[in-house]
Amino acid sequence: MAGEIPDLFATERTGTGKGAARQARREHFVPGIVYGGGAEPLPINLKYNELLKRLKAGRFLSTLFNLKVEGHEDVRVICRGVQRDVVKDLPIHVDLMRLRRTSRINLFIPVEFVGHEKSPGLKRGGVLTVVRPEVELMVTAGEIPEKLVMDLSGLNVGDIVHISDVALPEGTRPTITDRDFVIANISAPSGLRSADGEAEEGEGEEG
């Protein structure tokens, strides 16, 4: 299961319509709505600075949050849209969707590499080049893996790790399904590469 699902704090917005939304913005809040999950829509306000910080951090639209609103039970949500000011490009409204434990969503899951000491390629001085430190997976909201684990044991210089080499938790699959994309590779150390290059040049001159 996922480790820490970040909390997202909000307050219930009293009143609806453009007037209430404008009032919220004047008070440095961003109005939003929480919908879905078999419950009535809930109008909320998010602190402008906190929301802007999360947006700048990235992945806001693909992060699962634990929404905390005073007077309401905590609920898992995912953002389904951020409306921005057409001139300033700053957030002016947020749509959040409640998730049931059985809901299917796309999330980025980090990849952890283990078994470095058992890799012949790394023992020889090879370099692990991580192409995708995280992978976007379709997961079930109630069974989100904390990470994917890739064992490097037995891998040599020149070996490539594809998504098919990573053991995925049951019920999850990559969002990219049309190719077996690369996660990482073990390349030769720079000294060995330069030596190989010099050797090839020498053979060419002799030829």
Side-chain angles (χ1 to χ4, degrees):
M1 287 292 295
E4 286 295 323
I5 296 176
D7 288 331
L8 186 64
F9 293 91
T11 55
E12 184 173 1
R13 187 171 78 252
T14 57
T16 57
K18 294 182 178 180
R22 280 196 295 266
Q23 179 64 28
R25 296 184 189 107
R26 283 195 294 268
E27 296 173 355
H28 304 290
F29 288 98
V30 178
I33 191 75
V34 187
Y35 64 92
E40 289 295 317
L42 175 67
I44 60 170
N45 285 333
L46 299 163
K47 287 186 177 179
Y48 175 82
N49 288 336
E50 291 184 7
L51 176 61
L52 198 61
K53 183 178 179 180
R54 289 192 182 277
L55 289 172
K56 289 181 177 179
R59 304 273 195 246
F60 187 75
L61 292 175
S62 58
T63 299
L64 185 69
F65 291 103
N66 179 49
L67 181 67
K68 302 178 81 71
V69 181
E70 186 175 353
H72 296 267
E73 290 187 2
D74 292 3
V75 62
R76 290 183 176 186
V77 299
I78 192 167
C79 181
R80 279 298 177 245
V82 177
Q83 297 175 29
R84 294 176 179 267
D85 184 280
V86 294
V87 177
K88 300 178 181 178
D89 195 36
L90 296 174
I92 57 173
H93 192 275
V94 177
D95 293 326
L96 300 175
M97 184 175 72
R98 299 184 188 95
L99 294 174
R100 295 187 175 94
R101 292 185 62 83
T102 55
S103 300
R104 301 279 285 172
I105 54 173
N106 296 347
L107 289 179
F108 284 89
I109 306 298
V111 183
E112 178 181 336
F113 296 90
V114 300
H116 295 71
E117 71 284 354
K118 297 181 181 179
S119 164
L122 294 179
K123 282 185 176 180
R124 289 178 55 202
V127 178
L128 175 65
T129 301
V130 179
V131 179
R132 290 176 184 263
E134 53 185 10
V135 178
E136 188 178 23
L137 299 177
M138 178 174 283
V139 300
T140 303
E143 297 292 338
I144 300 173
E146 180 179 357
K147 60 190 175 184
L148 302 179
V149 178
M150 177 59 208
D151 191 354
L152 302 173
S153 300
L155 296 186
N156 219 320
V157 170
D159 284 348
I160 299 175
V161 179
H162 295 87
I163 184 61
S164 60
D165 300 316
V166 181
L168 298 180
E170 186 176 353
T172 69
R173 64 174 178 79
T175 57
I176 300 174
T177 58
D178 59 345
R179 66 183 188 278
D180 191 14
F181 54 86
V182 175
I183 301 296
N185 62 71
I186 298 180
S187 55
S190 56
L192 181 57
R193 288 198 297 269
S194 59
D196 290 344
E198 290 171 3
E200 290 175 2
E201 288 178 9
E203 292 173 2
E205 290 172 1
E206 291 176 5

